[in-house]
Amino acid sequence: MILGIGTDLCNIDRIAATLDRFGDRFRNRVFTEREQQKAERRLDTAGTYAKRWAAKEACSKALGTGLRMGIAWRDMGVSNLPTGQPVMELTGWAAERLAEMTPPGHEAVVHVTLTDDHPWAQAFVVIEARPRSPMGGA
């Protein structure tokens, strides 16, 4: 069952200007260490940050809170599987909110997809609840 859906569209040039103006102060407030390491290795640093910004906004919407109610930017982080597929990692209050939303007997799965076409970066997040399989299998 679907628990939440969120999307966000972010202007890459706006993120580039914010990085230029605030630098590490902005990076450290919004992005996890892993996200920063990934972005700083990329040619399109601002585009990489913009996609992750959009993912955080989309995730907060899928959680039903937006960026309020105690959720912090760094409570939501984007990493990648070895295949390159992006995944959302939730900690802190975001993880607590996810646990509250998840019905008993289910596990939550957070799906994320990212795209960009300069000057835009976009993310979609879908939170799914899957029934847990009983111990011992079928």
Side-chain angles (χ1 to χ4, degrees):
M1 92 181 64
I2 302 299
L3 299 179
I5 299 171
T7 185
D8 191 64
L9 185 64
C10 178
N11 186 287
I12 296 169
D13 295 333
R14 186 183 73 144
I15 295 296
T18 303
L19 287 164
D20 288 344
R21 183 170 178 196
F22 297 105
D24 285 343
R25 185 171 151 214
F26 172 64
R27 275 190 276 287
N28 294 332
R29 182 174 155 253
V30 175
F31 300 100
T32 66
E33 186 174 318
R34 180 183 245 174
E35 289 173 313
Q36 290 180 49
Q37 290 170 352
K38 172 124 183 147
E40 296 302 324
R41 288 191 311 258
R42 305 300 283 280
L43 287 177
D44 184 13
T45 303
T48 302
Y49 280 124
K51 285 185 280 189
R52 279 146 182 78
W53 172 282
K56 293 167 187 278
E57 287 275 7
C59 185
S60 71
K61 293 170 186 174
L63 289 168
T65 63
L67 285 160
R68 57 181 174 83
M69 295 176 55
I71 200 166
W73 288 103
R74 292 174 55 106
D75 284 349
M76 302 166 288
V78 177
S79 64
N80 296 84
L81 298 176
T83 60
Q85 177 183 349
V87 292
M88 291 296 303
E89 297 175 350
L90 304 183
T91 59
W93 196 89
E96 292 173 23
R97 172 68 180 144
L98 182 62
E100 289 172 7
M101 304 172 56
T102 306
H106 290 73
E107 64 180 344
V109 180
V110 181
H111 304 275
V112 61
T113 186
L114 309 171
T115 191
D116 65 299
D117 186 8
H118 197 89
W120 301 107
Q122 186 172 34
F124 288 94
V125 171
V126 176
I127 301 175
E128 172 189 14
R130 291 183 186 162
R132 291 192 181 168
S133 58
M135 296 296 267

